[in-house]
Amino acid sequence: MSSHDTFSQETASDPTSSRIENVQSELLSDNWYVLRKFSYDLIKRNGERQPQTREVYDRGNGATILLYSKIKKTVLLIKQFRMPTYVNGNSTGMLLETCAGLLDNDSPEDCIRKEAIEETGFAVGKVDKLFEAYMSPGSVTEIVHFFAAEYDESQRQNAGGGVEDEDIDVLEVPFSQALAMIKDGRIKDGKTIMLLQYAQIQGWMA
């Protein structure tokens, strides 16, 4: 690849320079979280100015954690009803996931420790921050902070199940089975797939 290819030019560009101008925002809804319509001019690579409009949903940032046992070669997953999946083809609306929650006013680590106790019943010890990612950057502002921690029975404080209007089942799943569940479609949650595959790449269950 020559130094004049588009890829080379893109990687050498200034990452701090904005390519949008004349940004205008219109509030569409703040009934639950905040939905806004943004109108702006996108400055294309050739200098052309292109008007664009996008709707952006702001629900805050979140955190998720993979709870795993190297000794038992298992992971803790939760199962709960997710209305958007029901609307989009999931006949039961039930989804297998890693423990997760919105930060609200907590730090990512404080958030995920609290969610782990509420959803799974386990008060985890050391947690490792793995990475963070935009999960749906075409429409949602949310950044999710990804964590992992080992668990054992001595850390169990309660049965889990969530709080208030949550109705969560806690499942201890063999790691090999969890990977198979990605392949056969029983696990379709993006953050859960990312964490399970990260654990596989790192060889935590080898």
Side-chain angles (χ1 to χ4, degrees), residues 43-178:
I43 311 303
K44 301 174 69 174
R45 286 175 296 175
N46 62 5
E48 178 185 347
R49 185 183 301 271
Q50 183 181 71
Q52 293 190 350
T53 301
R54 296 290 186 273
E55 291 185 4
V56 176
Y57 191 55
D58 185 355
R59 62 192 300 270
N61 296 326
T64 184
I65 189 166
L66 179 67
L67 299 177
Y68 66 98
S69 170
K70 288 184 177 179
I71 296 174
K72 299 167 70 175
K73 291 184 168 46
T74 54
V75 294
L76 285 182
L77 300 178
I78 61 172
K79 189 175 185 179
Q80 61 182 319
F81 179 78
R82 294 296 202 184
M83 186 64 187
T85 74
Y86 179 80
V87 172
N88 195 25
N90 181 2
S91 60
T92 66
M94 301 301 290
L95 202 67
L96 273 172
E97 308 175 47
T98 49
C99 171
L102 293 178
L103 302 188
D104 296 323
N105 296 318
D106 294 328
S107 70
E109 183 171 329
D110 287 343
C111 166
I112 207 56
R113 288 182 181 278
K114 180 175 69 176
E115 293 293 337
I117 294 175
E118 292 176 353
E119 295 187 353
T120 72
F122 282 80
V124 295
K126 179 177 179 292
V127 298
D128 294 317
K129 173 72 176 291
L130 306 178
F131 52 86
E132 55 191 64
Y134 292 101
M135 297 303 291
S136 187
S139 58
V140 182
T141 61
E142 183 183 27
I143 294 173
V144 174
H145 301 261
F146 287 74
F147 291 86
E150 293 191 65
Y151 74 91
D152 61 59
E153 285 300 320
S154 67
Q155 298 169 323
R156 184 187 290 273
Q157 291 195 349
N158 57 66
V163 295
E164 298 176 353
D165 63 344
E166 295 178 324
D167 185 24
I168 293 173
D169 293 328
V170 184
L171 295 84
E172 187 173 51
V173 181
F175 182 66
S176 59
Q177 181 181 342

